[in-house]
Amino acid sequence: MTIQANPRPGHTRIAPPALRHALEAVAAGAFGIGRDDVHATLQDDAGKLGVDLLVRLPPPPLLVPGARGQQSVFERASTARLKISSLGQRITGLQCGRINIRLGAGGRAARENRVDPGRNRKP
């Protein structure tokens, strides 16, 4: 069986809003926050995908003493930048260039999906 590289003429495009939403979702996952707390602006960075992010992080809990070994916001941003670059390329097929991250306050931590094994079970 032979598979042709391009059986039908044409091309595939990803609309800019879809690309932006995909990278916002990737960034939100990298920071562990909701996608509504991330805003991305995209531009050309010498042939690569340049990304400017505004990330609203939740404030740290006030009643919980600081945990030892917890990363600073700068370390979190550096780790997130690597995740965004890697996963962003896998999802979009575009190589990321410069990823600028601006951190703000006011976001909420992402809520984990809950699955209740006792619900929706038929007898």
Side-chain angles (χ1 to χ4, degrees):
M1 180 171 149
T2 304
I3 298 176
Q4 295 178 353
N6 190 6
R8 296 182 185 182
H11 58 274
T12 302
R13 289 188 186 170
I14 301 174
L19 189 60
R20 182 174 52 83
H21 286 258
L23 286 167
E24 287 172 346
V26 168
F31 279 99
I33 58 176
R35 197 192 68 75
D36 292 342
D37 291 320
V38 177
H39 178 73
T41 305
L42 309 176
Q43 68 274 341
D44 180 31
D45 182 24
K48 297 179 182 176
L49 182 61
V51 183
D52 288 328
L53 295 169
L54 170 60
V55 178
R56 296 185 318 151
L57 293 176
L62 298 177
L63 299 177
V64 177
R68 288 187 172 258
Q70 188 176 14
Q71 289 184 320
S72 72
V73 291
F74 297 108
E75 292 168 328
R76 285 181 66 191
S78 180
T79 301
R81 188 175 285 109
L82 293 172
K83 290 179 183 179
I84 294 164
S85 178
S86 174
L87 188 55
Q89 183 174 354
R90 284 186 23 216
I91 290 173
T92 66
L94 300 172
Q95 187 176 10
C96 291
R98 181 180 297 267
I99 300 174
N100 298 318
I101 300 174
R102 187 168 37 138
L103 300 173
R108 290 177 273 155
R111 293 175 20 179
E112 292 185 29
N113 294 333
R114 272 187 31 184
V115 177
D116 187 356
R119 290 186 165 215
N120 298 329
R121 216 184 263 185
K122 293 182 180 180

